[in-house]
């Protein structure tokens, strides 16, 4: 786990970046109603968690660089024996200081009274404007309260800045503790994918495969990082398919895009396997193209390479493969220039990964794709999708969707594939499926 001392270092680092005349305000995620008086399982806001490690709702983190009476403040719920008997224990302000390392903590009910005083004398406010309309209005009200005291000598903030500009650059680079958690998240996700392969059978249902995933997640104290995509046959061609209720038919492929969330850190894996245990000739031909594309992208995963280099390498290999199979016509140069490959490949080859599945962090700096650096984690996930009814495509290719996705850590020497624990070579997958 990430220790309290690391969260404290993060807060110090963010305050150094913001400078002494700033104030940083970050509210927790709200509870979300699912139906009437039941709620979705609570999941803390990723930015709030990254800076605090505090798991409760109804909390606000305030960082005041250079404040003599304490720079790191948390407003949170007070202890309440009656509510805790229903909902579980709370840290309270005392626990926030003792266990989480804040300089001071106050009841959340005192926020309206105390925060205007913290804003006074600060020239800049860092905050996520537009995420929470209700909190936006509260913040505007607190600022206006300070402005109303200008004639009495109050100094209200005059600059409002997007907090993500600073905070998300920190989150992009994973610490040793974060990498340990991401390795464990990946390990659990690999185990789940193997279980999903073994749960697949002709005449079954996609939700049976999904159930195997969830069982492994919960058995390992994890949850799904996102709603799994379990698409068999033509459903594999729907990029964000989530119904997961169709039959798994003999002769079809099944695409399973699923990841675990362990200690708030996500993994993200996609594998595509034959329901009956053996790839057909056409399935194997397309699968080999996607595998070669992923290998080409992985070759670009090293420090100093532009983030986009992996995508460009994958696109070239995919296009070459489509041309060789007769699914595209013309030259490689013209097919790349015209974007003809996008008929079968509509997404980028990866994304940042961390506390969020599609994690924060800029892909470009000063208009240019940024270079990879040690500590970055991202996915590499080329695919090909030939939907039923695609014009100009022979019937034997239609209804085949394939994606191969792994999680990759950039290291000082190159990269580490975090999700190697689940097969992806054709022979390895067929051997595992033969164990059913």
């Amino acid at each position: 786990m990430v220790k309290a001392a690391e969260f404290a270092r993060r807060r110090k680092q963010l305050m150094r970046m913001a400078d002494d005349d700033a104030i940083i305000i970050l509210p927790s995620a709200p509870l979300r109603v699912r139906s009437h008086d039941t709620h979705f399982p609570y999941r803390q806001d990723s930015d709030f968690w990254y800076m605090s490690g505090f798991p409760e709702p109804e909390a606000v983190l305030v960082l005041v660089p250079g404040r003599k009476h304490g720079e790191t403040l948390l407003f949170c719920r007070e202890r309440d024996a009656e509510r805790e008997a229903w909902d579980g224990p709370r840290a309270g302000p005392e626990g926030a200081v003792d266990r989480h390392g804040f300089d001071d903590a106050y009841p959340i009910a005192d926020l309206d009274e105390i925060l205007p005083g913290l804003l006074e004398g600060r020239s800049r406010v860092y905050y996520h404007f537009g995420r929470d309309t209700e909190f936006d209005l509260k913040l505007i009200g607190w600022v206006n309260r300070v402005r109303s005291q200008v004639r009495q000598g109050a100094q209200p903030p005059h600059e409002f800045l997007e907090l993500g500009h600073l905070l998300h650059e920190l989150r992009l680079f994973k610490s040793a503790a974060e990498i340990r958690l991401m390795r464990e998240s990946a390990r659990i996700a690999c185990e789940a994918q193997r279980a999903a392969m073994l749960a697949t059978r002709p005449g079954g249902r996609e939700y049976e495969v999904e159930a195997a995933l969830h069982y492994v997640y919960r058995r390992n104290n994890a949850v799904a990082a996102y709603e799994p995509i379990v698409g068999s046959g033509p459903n594999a061609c729907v990029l964000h398919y989530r119904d997961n209720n169709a039959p798994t038919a003999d002769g079809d492929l099944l695409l399973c895009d699923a990841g675990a969330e362990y200690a708030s850190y996500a993994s993200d894996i996609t594998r595509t396997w034959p329901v009956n245990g053996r790839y057909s000739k056409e399935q194997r031909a397309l699968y080999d193209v996607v595998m070669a594309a992923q290998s080409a992208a992985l070759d670009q995963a090293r420090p100093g390479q532009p983030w986009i280099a992996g995508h460009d390498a994958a696109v070239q290999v995919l296009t070459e493969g489509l041309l060789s199979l007769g699914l595209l016509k013309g030259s490689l140069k013209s097919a790349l220039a015209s974007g003809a490959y996008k008929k079968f490949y509509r997404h980028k080859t990866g994304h940042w990964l961390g506390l969020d599945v599609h994690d924060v962090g800029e892909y470009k700096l000063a208009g240019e794709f940024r270079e990879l650096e040690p500590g970055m984690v991202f996915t590499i996930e080329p695919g090909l999708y030939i939907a039923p009814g695609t014009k100009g495509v022979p019937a034997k290719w239609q209804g085949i969707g394939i994606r191969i996705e792994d999680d990759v850590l950039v290291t000082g020497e190159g990269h580490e594939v975090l999700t190697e624990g689940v097969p992806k070579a054709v022979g390895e997958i067929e051997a595992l499926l033969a164990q059913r």
Side-chain angles (χ1 to χ4, degrees):
M1 296 297 176
V2 178
K3 295 181 179 179
E6 181 166 331
F7 289 112
R9 287 195 298 272
R10 294 173 184 173
R11 295 192 287 269
K12 287 287 188 183
Q13 187 173 2
L14 184 61
M15 287 189 288
R16 284 195 297 270
M17 295 168 70
D19 219 343
D20 280 351
D21 60 348
I23 184 170
I24 299 163
I25 301 170
L26 185 57
S28 64
L31 290 165
R32 301 289 186 187
V33 174
R34 182 182 183 275
S35 173
H36 189 46
D37 59 353
T38 64
H39 291 79
F40 285 104
Y42 185 68
R43 206 284 190 176
Q44 187 58 276
D45 174 81
S46 294
D47 284 338
F48 186 92
W49 176 261
Y50 183 80
M51 297 308 301
S52 70
F54 192 76
E56 299 179 22
E58 298 181 62
V60 177
L61 172 65
V62 181
L63 304 181
V64 194
R67 182 173 179 266
K68 293 180 180 178
H69 300 294
E71 296 179 306
T72 63
L73 312 176
L74 187 74
F75 294 83
C76 62
R77 302 176 301 184
E78 291 188 272
R79 298 296 306 276
D80 183 328
E82 175 66 19
R83 288 313 315 165
E84 290 180 56
W86 284 90
D87 303 324
R90 302 176 175 184
E94 301 84 0
V97 173
D98 294 342
R99 299 201 298 274
H100 294 275
F102 295 101
D103 293 330
D104 210 344
Y106 304 95
I108 189 68
D110 293 347
L111 183 65
D112 190 62
E113 177 185 344
I114 295 174
L115 195 57
L118 298 173
L119 287 165
E120 202 280 325
R122 297 280 152 175
S123 64
R124 288 177 292 163
V125 178
Y126 284 94
Y127 169 72
H128 287 310
F129 288 96
R131 282 194 182 181
D132 183 337
T133 302
E134 183 179 351
F135 199 91
D136 290 352
L137 294 173
K138 289 180 180 179
L139 179 56
I140 291 169
W142 293 322
V143 172
N144 285 337
R145 204 182 306 174
V146 180
R147 285 173 177 165
S148 71
Q149 302 298 317
V150 168
R151 291 184 180 181
Q152 286 76 44
Q155 295 177 297
H158 58 79
E159 194 173 2
F160 299 86
L161 300 167
E162 170 52 41
L163 176 56
H165 181 68
L166 299 183
L167 177 51
H168 293 168
E169 188 69 11
L170 293 181
R171 281 181 53 188
L172 180 57
F173 297 90
K174 275 56 179 182
S175 69
E178 289 180 288
I179 290 169
R180 285 193 293 271
L181 293 175
M182 294 193 73
R183 286 194 181 110
E184 178 62 9
S185 177
R187 184 200 66 76
I188 295 167
C190 289
E191 181 183 336
Q193 284 276 354
R194 294 193 302 271
M197 289 180 182
L198 296 174
T200 305
R201 60 185 178 87
R205 289 275 175 170
E206 292 165 345
Y207 52 70
E208 297 177 51
V209 180
E210 181 184 2
L213 295 166
H214 288 295
Y215 173 74
V216 174
Y217 297 156
R218 294 306 298 133
R219 193 179 68 184
N220 286 275
N221 194 26
V223 296
Y226 52 95
E227 289 298 310
I229 298 168
V230 183
S232 60
N235 294 333
C237 300
V238 181
L239 296 182
H240 286 167
Y241 175 76
R242 290 195 183 91
D243 288 346
N244 297 353
N245 58 11
T248 51
D250 192 350
D252 281 347
L253 292 180
L254 185 139
L255 185 154
C256 181
D257 184 336
E261 182 179 288
Y262 176 76
S264 297
Y265 284 86
S267 48
D268 187 2
I269 305 174
T270 308
R271 293 291 187 267
T272 310
W273 58 84
V275 171
N276 64 12
R278 303 289 293 183
Y279 292 89
S280 72
K281 179 182 176 182
E282 288 76 21
Q283 292 167 352
R284 172 70 184 264
L286 287 171
Y287 193 93
D288 286 346
V289 172
V290 178
M291 271 286 285
Q294 200 208 33
S295 179
L298 278 166
D299 287 344
Q300 304 302 315
R302 59 184 186 274
Q305 284 292 95
W307 174 83
I308 197 65
H311 175 71
D312 290 342
V315 164
Q316 178 162 329
V317 173
L318 291 173
T319 305
E320 289 171 344
L322 291 167
L323 287 166
S324 70
L325 295 173
L327 292 166
L328 290 178
K329 306 297 183 182
S331 68
L332 175 62
K333 183 177 180 181
S334 65
L336 291 172
S338 67
Y341 64 88
K342 293 180 182 178
K343 182 178 182 179
F344 307 111
Y345 181 49
R346 299 185 296 277
H347 58 82
K348 280 287 190 290
T349 305
H351 53 79
W352 303 130
L353 185 68
L355 286 168
D356 294 312
V357 176
H358 294 118
D359 208 29
V360 296
E362 298 290 343
Y363 291 92
K364 288 185 174 182
L365 297 176
E368 299 292 332
F369 283 104
R370 72 187 305 159
E371 293 183 355
L372 297 176
E373 300 179 54
M376 294 176 170
V377 182
F378 65 109
T379 66
I380 294 181
E381 49 178 305
L384 289 173
Y385 315 93
I386 308 176
T390 303
K391 292 182 180 180
V393 175
K396 66 181 182 179
W397 301 109
Q398 294 186 23
I400 298 177
I402 297 168
R403 183 163 61 251
I404 305 171
E405 177 180 22
D406 282 297
D407 303 344
V408 179
L409 165 68
V410 182
T411 65
E413 299 74 34
H415 68 263
E416 174 188 345
V417 178
L418 302 179
T419 46
E420 284 188 324
V422 57
K424 62 181 173 182
V426 165
E428 293 173 344
I429 288 177
E430 291 183 342
L432 178 60
L433 294 174
Q435 298 175 21
R436 294 178 296 184

